[in-house]
Amino acid sequence: MGRRKQYMDDGDDSSDDEGGRIRFDITDQDLEEEAEGFYGQHKTNKKRKRFGEDYTDDEQEEEETYMHGGLGLGAGSSSSTVSPMAKFMNFTTAKSNTKSATASPQSTSASPEPSTLTPNKRQERKMKAQPSSDFGKFNAYSTGFGQRMLEKMGWKTGEGLGESGSGIVNPIETKLRPKQMGIGFRGFSERTEEQKQEAKRRGEVGSSDEDEDMEEATALPGDFAGGKQPLAKREAWKRKSRKPKSVFKTAAAILAESTNDDQHHLQQPATQQKIIDMTGPQIKEVTMADLQQSATWIETTTRLPELRHNLRLIVDLAKGDLENLSRDKQSNALRMKTMEEECEVIRHRKTEEETRMTKIQDVKEMALDLKNASRNALATVGYEHANVTALFGHVFEQMQQKYSTEIEQLGLDQLVVAVWAPIMKFKSAHWDVLVDPTWGAADVQKWRSLLVSNDDPVRDETGLLVPRPKSKETLKATPYETMMNTIWLVRVRSAINNQWNIRDPDPLVQLLETWKPLLPRFIFENIVNQLVLPKISRAVSDWDPRNDPEMIHTWIHPWLPVLEAWRLGELFTTIRHKLAVVLRVWHPSDESALHIIMPWKEVWTRQQMESFINKSVLPKLTRIMRDEFIVNPREQQLDPLIWCMAWKDIISEPILSQLIENEFFTKWLDVLYKWLTLSRDRVNYDEVREWYLWWRQVFGSYELDENKVVSASFRKGLDMMAMAANGQPVIKS
């Protein structure tokens, strides 16, 4: 009990002894002293100065001594050790800060110059790198208590902590941050000098950067006097980036930016963007300007709310005015651009109209020239001795050279027809169509580009000729179509109906061949379908193949180049039907049928010709070969074979081969077999050989010696002759 009491007396003076017992009650004084020992300060009985009174130098030095204490520092001793970081920072009161504002700029901290330090403080600075002799002290009231506890556990002065002495040697240093400064404010480093030295020994980077940041953060305005500039900070990564400085734009800058934006966004109308802020408890609408500006101290403070509200209202009104001006400027720019485009269109249209007026004036002069030439020709009876080219050719050439692509737009075809129609009407009254079917075609062909028709192609935007687009509306006849329909066609219709002989197709064929590329399509179709084909159809219906001495192809085939075979398909059917009726009583010895059918070989299709021959001709030829042809080596009659061979150019090769094989070689091989099977004294093999060669020559004259069926049949006969000559039994294959 006595030992315990002595132990407690050594460690804490606040203990009390009553009746041989130790009191463990904690009083308010114990708590205050404990707190003062933790913060390195001791409560003094020094009377605080009232507001406006100055400290004396001794009082100020005494207060600084207490304020700069640290953990484990004895406040009651004049030789107490001060923490190096506490000496480094050396924060003072407001009055002392004012006095230290004129400190030398060479100082990297707020500590005073060595000349102003007391002897005790100089000694403390010298001992900064040496192990502290006060290591292990707990507070000012328990001096040596912690040290004695460590020594009892084996620790010795100057050695590190731990069983092997590898722990720290110097006490844990503390570093006070300036008054009213938060953690990491303005890059303030919380590390002490000991921690920095340890970091350097470990090779960690960043310690020098933190020193520079701390120097700049703690430097006073007078530190950079005399021309010395603060050290440039390295752009190193920080745990917390500094808030960017707010940059405010002037009205001129905003309008200038809106002008640059107008150049890129003239195609789109000016619209105000809406941004909904849902990060807070309430939904609110913000603008781009609000997002670009971060909150400042003025916005976060609650001081002077009326003034701040009025300023914000003024700013919002000014910002709204600027936005309205920007939108108005963009709208005006768009309107200006639209108006410029409209002006450009109007200028272009004006230029086109001026060019068109110039062309119209030139066309008007051409029309006057044509009018004068037509009037002079009518007065001098020039229509009878001159043609269109001689009268108006010089004006027509100007039209072709100047306005070849604008004939229809300028109405030049109307001018041409206006002077052409009287001449055509006058001369067509004396025109004999069948005698001179090509009259007027040369003039029309030469000036056809000036005579517009609905069938003519048109030029597209690239200048290429394309078919004229078909309109749903009823097409109106052009002046040229009207002239040809009312003047030229009337005269041609009269000649076809009253003068033309169907057996003499050449004049009318020449007329249509010449005028076909020049006439409008509907006029050509009218002549063919209403005038020519009906008359030819009546003639074919009246044709009698038995009694008509003139073959039908002589007055039908000339129409093929003009009318083409597809127009005459019905007529061909009628002709085949009439020929088939006649061939029912026909004998192959009558060659007139061959002469009538042969010209149609290239006109009818292959299928039509084969069908007609198989039905009307082949049965007759098969019957004549089967009934009338006999193979007789003594007296051979070839007439039936000749009648059949005459059709070899019309009959297809497979059908002809089948006819020869079935109707000729069957009989021929049978006769040869009988001849070779006679007794040897009755068979003359030389005669057999000559007979064989003679038949080869007969088929060779018809160019059938290369026919497969003919060659195979003669090969069979030759094998039979070889068997008989060798004395072998003859086998009829």
Side-chain angles (χ1 to χ4, degrees):
M1 190 68 181
R3 182 182 298 177
R4 182 176 182 182
K5 182 176 181 298
Q6 183 181 359
Y7 177 80
M8 296 300 297
D9 290 341
D10 294 338
D12 193 356
D13 294 342
S14 63
S15 62
D16 195 4
D17 216 359
E18 294 181 2
R21 293 178 298 173
I22 299 174
R23 294 183 59 187
F24 292 94
D25 297 338
I26 299 175
T27 64
D28 294 338
Q29 183 179 359
D30 295 336
L31 296 177
E32 292 178 0
E33 292 175 353
E34 186 70 20
E36 290 173 356
F38 179 81
Y39 289 104
Q41 300 178 3
H42 292 285
K43 183 177 179 182
T44 62
N45 296 325
K46 181 176 61 176
K47 184 178 180 181
R48 298 290 183 181
K49 298 294 183 178
R50 289 178 296 180
F51 181 76
E53 297 183 359
D54 296 334
Y55 285 101
T56 62
D57 294 339
D58 298 337
E59 293 174 348
Q60 182 175 354
E61 182 178 355
E62 181 181 359
E63 184 176 356
E64 290 178 356
T65 304
Y66 288 122
M67 291 183 64
H68 292 169
L71 181 63
L73 300 179
S77 176
S78 60
S79 62
S80 60
T81 303
V82 182
S83 173
M85 183 55 65
K87 292 190 300 178
F88 177 76
M89 297 301 298
N90 195 16
F91 288 101
T92 62
T93 60
K95 185 176 180 180
S96 61
N97 286 338
T98 304
K99 294 179 180 181
S100 63
T102 59
S104 175
Q106 298 178 357
S107 176
T108 59
S109 64
S111 60
E113 287 287 292
S115 60
T116 62
L117 296 177
T118 60
N120 293 334
K121 293 183 179 180
R122 292 194 190 98
Q123 185 66 22
E124 291 173 356
R125 177 166 294 184
K126 293 179 180 179
M127 297 173 63
K128 179 173 63 175
Q130 300 178 1
S132 175
S133 60
D134 295 335
F135 186 80
K137 293 183 180 180
F138 184 74
N139 53 29
Y141 298 97
S142 59
T143 304
F145 173 73
Q147 182 176 357
R148 289 195 298 272
M149 289 181 62
L150 294 175
E151 289 177 350
K152 290 180 181 181
M153 290 186 289
W155 175 78
K156 294 181 181 181
T157 305
E159 296 182 355
L161 296 180
E163 183 179 359
S164 60
S166 60
I168 62 176
V169 177
N170 295 326
I172 299 176
E173 298 179 351
T174 60
K175 182 177 181 180
L176 296 179
R177 66 176 67 90
K179 185 177 180 181
Q180 295 182 353
M181 177 185 289
I183 296 176
F185 179 73
R186 296 184 63 182
F188 179 75
S189 177
E190 302 287 341
R191 297 197 299 176
T192 62
E193 289 293 336
E194 180 183 359
Q195 293 174 344
K196 293 180 182 179
Q197 295 296 333
E198 185 67 22
K200 289 182 179 180
R201 287 194 296 271
R202 291 196 300 265
E204 296 180 359
V205 297
S207 59
S208 60
D209 297 341
E210 294 177 354
D211 294 343
E212 294 175 2
D213 293 343
M214 184 189 66
E215 290 174 5
E216 184 174 344
T218 57
L220 296 177
D223 294 341
F224 301 119
K228 181 178 180 181
Q229 298 296 330
L231 297 176
K233 295 185 179 181
R234 299 180 183 177
E235 295 296 332
W237 179 84
K238 307 294 183 180
R239 287 182 298 174
K240 182 177 178 182
S241 60
R242 295 185 179 181
K243 183 169 58 179
K245 184 179 180 181
S246 299
V247 179
F248 300 96
K249 298 180 181 179
T250 62
I254 295 175
L255 294 178
E257 290 181 358
S258 64
T259 303
N260 297 332
D261 294 339
D262 293 343
Q263 298 177 357
H264 296 86
H265 302 284
L266 286 177
Q267 302 296 333
Q268 300 179 356
T271 57
Q272 184 177 6
Q273 295 182 351
K274 276 189 176 182
I275 301 176
I276 306 300
D277 184 8
M278 302 183 67
T279 58
Q282 296 180 354
I283 300 175
K284 60 181 180 178
E285 180 181 347
V286 297
T287 60
M288 294 299 296
D290 296 334
L291 295 178
Q292 293 176 358
Q293 297 179 0
S294 59
T296 61
W297 177 82
I298 299 178
E299 294 175 347
T300 57
T301 185
T302 57
R303 299 172 61 186
L304 302 176
E306 297 84 356
L307 179 59
R308 291 176 61 252
H309 172 72
N310 294 336
L311 290 176
R312 172 56 62 186
L313 183 61
I314 294 173
V315 170
D316 292 341
L317 292 176
K319 182 169 61 178
D321 293 340
L322 287 176
E323 292 177 352
N324 294 333
L325 289 175
S326 177
R327 286 195 296 270
D328 293 343
K329 186 175 182 180
Q330 293 179 4
S331 178
N332 293 334
L334 289 174
R335 292 179 58 189
M336 180 65 69
K337 180 176 178 61
T338 304
M339 294 177 65
E340 289 178 355
E341 293 176 353
E342 292 179 356
C343 290
E344 184 64 25
V345 172
I346 293 174
R347 285 193 294 268
H348 182 67
R349 189 179 301 171
K350 179 182 177 182
T351 304
E352 291 181 350
E353 293 296 331
E354 291 177 353
T355 306
R356 182 177 175 81
M357 290 299 298
T358 305
K359 294 179 181 180
I360 292 176
Q361 188 66 27
D362 190 14
V363 171
K364 183 179 179 180
E365 296 178 358
M366 294 181 183
L368 293 176
D369 294 343
L370 292 175
K371 181 179 179 181
N372 296 332
S374 177
R375 184 180 300 174
N376 295 335
L378 181 62
T380 58
V381 195
Y383 287 167
E384 298 180 359
H385 307 288
N387 54 17
V388 175
T389 302
L391 295 174
F392 313 111
H394 62 288
V395 182
F396 291 169
E397 288 180 357
Q398 295 180 9
M399 293 181 178
Q400 283 185 339
Q401 293 176 359
K402 295 182 178 180
Y403 312 114
S404 59
T405 60
E406 300 175 323
I407 301 298
E408 191 172 359
Q409 290 82 354
L410 297 176
L412 299 182
D413 58 329
Q414 300 179 16
L415 296 178
V416 173
V417 173
V419 297
W420 196 317
I423 297 178
M424 179 174 287
K425 186 175 181 180
F426 177 81
K427 286 197 171 185
S428 63
H430 308 282
W431 176 36
D432 190 347
V433 177
L434 301 179
V435 175
D436 188 10
T438 61
W439 171 81
D443 291 336
V444 175
Q445 185 176 5
K446 184 174 183 179
W447 309 112
R448 181 63 178 83
S449 60
L450 299 176
L451 303 172
V452 180
S453 174
N454 289 319
D455 300 324
D456 297 340
V458 295
R459 295 187 181 274
D460 58 1
E461 297 178 355
T462 60
L464 299 177
L465 293 175
V466 296
R468 185 184 296 269
K470 295 183 180 180
S471 176
K472 296 181 180 180
E473 301 178 358
T474 304
L475 294 177
K476 297 181 180 179
T478 62
Y480 171 64
E481 293 174 346
T482 303
M483 179 182 69
M484 298 301 293
N485 187 47
T486 57
I487 299 176
W488 185 86
L489 183 58
V490 172
R491 187 61 182 170
V492 172
R493 181 184 294 111
S494 176
I496 293 174
N497 293 334
N498 301 325
Q499 303 174 10
W500 177 53
N501 183 10
I502 190 62
R503 300 298 177 95
D504 185 17
D506 293 339
L508 202 56
V509 169
Q510 185 180 5
L511 173 73
L512 295 181
E513 285 180 346
T514 304
W515 285 93
K516 182 178 180 180
L518 305 176
L519 292 174
R521 186 69 179 177
F522 77 94
I523 295 179
F524 178 80
E525 294 294 335
N526 183 281
I527 296 174
V528 171
N529 296 325
Q530 298 184 13
L531 300 178
V532 176
L533 284 180
K535 203 163 186 177
I536 295 177
S537 298
R538 289 193 297 268
V540 172
S541 299
D542 298 339
W543 172 62
D544 185 4
R546 295 188 184 94
N547 301 322
D548 194 344
E550 187 175 1
M551 294 185 181
I552 190 172
H553 69 273
T554 58
W555 48 275
I556 294 294
H557 286 185
W559 289 105
L560 292 174
V562 179
L563 303 181
E564 300 176 356
W566 64 272
R567 295 180 185 271
L568 303 174
E570 295 183 1
L571 299 179
F572 296 160
T573 302
T574 303
I575 293 173
R576 286 195 299 271
H577 179 69
K578 285 180 174 290
L579 291 177
V581 172
V582 174
L583 291 176
R584 290 176 185 175
V585 294
W586 167 72
H587 191 271
S589 60
D590 185 3
E591 296 181 358
S592 61
L594 179 62
H595 296 307
I596 294 174
I597 298 173
M598 180 63 74
W600 298 98
K601 179 181 178 181
E602 302 297 334
V603 177
W604 297 342
T605 63
R606 181 179 178 182
Q607 292 80 4
Q608 292 174 349
M609 181 60 72
E610 288 184 359
S611 177
F612 177 77
I613 293 298
N614 293 337
K615 291 181 180 180
S616 302
V617 177
L618 187 59
K620 297 291 184 178
L621 300 179
T622 302
R623 186 176 299 110
I624 195 66
M625 287 293 295
R626 186 175 301 167
D627 298 340
E628 299 183 17
F629 179 72
I630 300 174
V631 178
N632 186 3
R634 295 181 181 273
E635 187 178 358
Q636 184 65 54
Q637 296 293 331
L638 295 178
D639 292 339
L641 182 62
I642 294 173
W643 298 336
C644 292
M645 291 296 105
W647 293 86
K648 73 178 185 64
D649 294 332
I650 298 178
I651 301 175
S652 62
E653 184 176 357
I655 296 177
L656 180 61
S657 300
Q658 185 178 3
L659 175 64
I660 294 173
E661 182 180 11
N662 296 336
E663 305 302 332
F664 172 76
F665 279 105
T666 302
K667 296 179 180 181
W668 187 79
L669 292 174
D670 185 58
V671 173
L672 180 59
Y673 175 76
K674 292 180 181 179
W675 194 355
L676 294 176
T677 54
L678 296 174
S679 59
R680 297 181 62 87
D681 57 346
R682 295 178 60 185
V683 178
N684 188 347
Y685 292 102
D686 293 336
E687 293 179 357
V688 174
R689 184 166 87 57
E690 291 178 0
W691 181 74
Y692 169 81
L693 295 175
W694 181 79
W695 277 112
R696 292 293 299 262
Q697 292 177 0
V698 170
F699 280 93
S701 62
Y702 289 104
E703 298 179 355
L704 295 175
D705 52 349
E706 299 295 335
N707 187 281
K708 294 181 180 180
V709 175
V710 175
S711 300
S713 299
F714 279 119
R715 184 65 181 178
K716 292 178 182 179
L718 186 60
D719 293 340
M720 293 169 62
M721 293 168 57
M723 293 177 187
N726 296 330
Q728 299 176 359
V730 178
I731 299 175
K732 182 180 179 182
S733 56

